[in-house]
Amino acid sequence: MANNYYDAADLRKFGKITEWSEELGEKFFDYYGKVFEEGALSAREKSLIALAVSHVVKCPYCIDAYTKDGLEKGITKEEMMEAVHAGAAIESGATLVHGVQMMNKYNKLSM
């Protein structure tokens, strides 16, 4: 029995999503590959962004993949952690700004 819900070995199976929907799976992987090509942003910068986003969306497979990719691209542990903090700051800010919605509703209902 596995010790946790996510099995790291499943990351290697990601490409198999095309087996149940070949057309959409192939379109996704074409798009995904295109996104991570060199462009206005370097592949290294995109990897760092992907690592931060992986944490925000809480995807353990993505965290593993982009930590490994970042190491291969020469991203330091300090850069990785700073990116994670940047993602966390945006996520927490987005949560807190929704407090304005609560404040507006409270004020309206308590009049």
Side-chain angles (χ1 to χ4, degrees), residues 5-54:
Y5 186 77
Y6 294 101
D7 182 352
D10 285 343
L11 181 56
R12 293 189 300 277
K13 300 174 187 173
F14 187 31
K16 293 182 179 228
I17 65 164
T18 59
E19 292 176 4
W20 288 13
S21 182
E22 186 175 354
E23 180 185 0
L24 293 176
E26 287 178 3
K27 286 181 179 188
F28 168 76
F29 284 116
D30 289 345
Y31 167 75
Y32 193 87
K34 190 74 174 161
V35 165
F36 285 94
E37 289 178 0
E38 293 279 339
L41 295 173
S42 70
R44 184 182 190 279
E45 291 167 322
K46 290 178 182 185
S47 182
L48 198 53
I49 291 167
L51 181 63
V53 171
S54 297

Side-chain angles (χ1 to χ4, degrees), residues 57-75:
V57 300
K58 297 165 183 62
C59 175
Y61 303 115
C62 305
I63 292 167
D64 285 357
Y66 285 100
T67 299
K68 181 177 185 272
D69 189 64
L71 279 168
E72 291 169 356
K73 288 180 170 50
I75 298 171

